[in-house]
C-alpha cells in the first residue's frame, strides 16, 4: 500500500493539472504543486469563501455544482465547468474543472477538484464550452 501511495503522490506532484481536495468545510486538504503555484493555496491556508479565488460572476455555478455533487453518490463527477480563478499574479484566468464527490471515501473525505488552465485554448472554444448556443445557433462572445 505504501508503494501505491508513493506512486500516486509522485504522479500528482509532477502533474501540470491543478488538483485540489477540499473537505466538507471547503478547507484545503491537498493542494498539488501546480495548483499551489496557480492559486497560491497550500494545505495550511484557511480558505475564506467570502474572498474566493473564483470570479464573483462564476461562483454561483461552481457552488451549485458542488451542492449537487455533495448530494450525489460517492464517485459522482460534475459536468465540466468553465470558470475564472484568481491566479497568484492577481489576474483571473479561465479554468476547466470537474468536481468529484469523495466525501464518504475514507481515504479522501473530500471533494476532488481536477482543473486545467484553459487560458491558452482558442477563445472560440472557451466560448462554446462556457455558454450554450442560442436557439439560432449564435454563440455570444465573452472577453477572456
Amino acid at each position: 500500500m505504501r508503494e501505491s501511495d508513493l506512486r500516486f503522490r509522485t504522479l500528482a506532484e509532477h502533474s501540470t493539472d491543478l488538483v485540489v481536495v477540499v473537505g466538507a468545510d471547503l478547507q484545503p486538504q491537498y493542494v498539488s504543486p501546480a495548483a499551489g503555484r496557480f492559486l497560491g493555496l497550500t494545505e495550511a491556508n484557511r480558505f475564506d469563501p467570502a474572498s474566493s479565488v473564483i470570479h464573483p460572476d462564476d461562483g454561483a455555478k461552481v457552488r451549485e455544482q458542488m451542492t449537487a455533487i455533495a448530494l450525489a453518490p460517492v464517485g459522482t463527477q460534475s459536468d465540466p465547468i468553465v470558470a475564472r480563478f484568481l491566479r497568484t499574479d492577481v489576474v483571473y484566468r479561465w479554468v476547466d474543472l470537474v468536481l468529484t464527490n469523495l466525501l464518504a471515501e475514507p481515504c479522501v473525505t473530500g471533494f476532488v477538484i481536477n482543473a486545467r488552465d484553459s487560458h491558452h485554448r482558442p477563445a472560440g472554444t472557451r466560448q462554446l464550452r462556457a455558454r450554450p448556443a442560442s436557439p439560432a445557433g449564435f454563440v455570444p462572445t465573452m472577453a477572456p
Side-chain angles (χ1 to χ4, degrees):
M1 186 66 152
R2 175 153 165 65
E3 184 178 324
S4 176
D5 290 346
L6 182 58
R7 182 172 190 221
F8 163 77
R9 173 125 350 232
T10 301
L11 291 170
E13 299 291 314
H14 291 89
S15 174
T16 57
D17 286 348
L18 313 176
V19 180
V20 178
V21 178
V22 296
D25 60 357
L26 301 182
Q27 297 306 311
Q29 296 176 343
Y30 172 78
V31 179
S32 70
R37 287 188 301 276
F38 189 88
L39 300 169
L41 288 177
T42 69
E43 290 92 350
N45 290 69
R46 294 302 296 167
F47 180 66
D48 179 6
S51 63
S52 179
V53 296
I54 303 170
H55 191 281
D57 292 345
D58 300 330
K61 70 180 168 186
V62 174
R63 283 188 299 277
E64 179 182 299
Q65 285 284 329
M66 190 168 275
T67 300
I69 292 304
L71 299 173
V74 170
T76 301
Q77 291 185 335
S78 70
D79 293 330
I81 305 165
V82 180
R84 289 162 287 186
F85 280 72
L86 188 62
R87 285 181 41 107
T88 55
D89 58 4
V90 196
V91 173
Y92 281 101
R93 296 281 289 267
W94 289 103
V95 172
D96 296 329
L97 66 133
V98 173
L99 307 167
T100 304
N101 175 356
L102 293 180
L103 286 165
E105 181 64 42
C107 64
V108 179
T109 63
F111 294 101
V112 178
I113 303 166
N114 289 286
R116 180 171 289 160
D117 181 358
S118 62
H119 175 75
H120 298 292
R121 186 178 340 131
T125 306
R126 261 196 325 272
Q127 292 166 1
L128 288 172
R129 292 200 53 198
R131 296 191 182 213
S134 68
F138 172 76
V139 177
T141 59
M142 288 178 23

